Amino acid sequence: MSEIKRSNSKAIVSLIMGVLSLFIPIIGIILGILGLIFASKSKQEMNLTGESGNGLVTAGKVCSVIGIILNIIMILIFMVFFYFVVNTDISTY
């Protein structure tokens, strides 16, 4: 029988962090950065140990980068929105 290679655990964590960075606002930036860190460390481990998980690493990197970008855009939109809300000259008196 052929030997089944185990998936690298850090590759799985990278994918989980990347997906969570897409759905959790503000904290998603931190999760995305952690996802990228785990992806690079798992890639190094996989080269040394021969474990599988290249697809998981790629998906984790992509989700992490998209999550970081979306969170930054969301923060910028909120900042612009609140800037215009604070600087309006509408008074109720």
Side-chain angles (χ1 to χ4, degrees), residues 7-18 38 42 53 56-57 60:
S7 293
N8 188 292
S9 60
K10 288 182 182 166
I12 297 169
V13 171
S14 168
L15 179 61
I16 292 170
M17 293 288 183
F38 276 108
S42 68
L56 296 173
V57 171

Side-chain angles (χ1 to χ4, degrees), residues 14-66:
S14 168
L15 179 61
I16 292 170
M17 293 288 183
V19 170
L20 288 176
S21 74
L22 293 170
F23 296 110
I24 300 177
I26 310 297
I27 300 170
I29 293 174
I30 298 167
L31 292 174
I33 292 170
L34 287 174
L36 291 175
I37 291 169
F38 276 108
S40 66
K41 290 194 182 274
S42 68
K43 194 72 162 171
Q44 292 171 354
E45 270 187 19
M46 287 188 306
N47 289 337
L48 294 174
T49 61
E51 292 176 315
S52 65
N54 284 329
L56 296 173
V57 171
T58 304
K61 281 184 180 180
V62 169
C63 288
S64 294
V65 169
I66 292 173

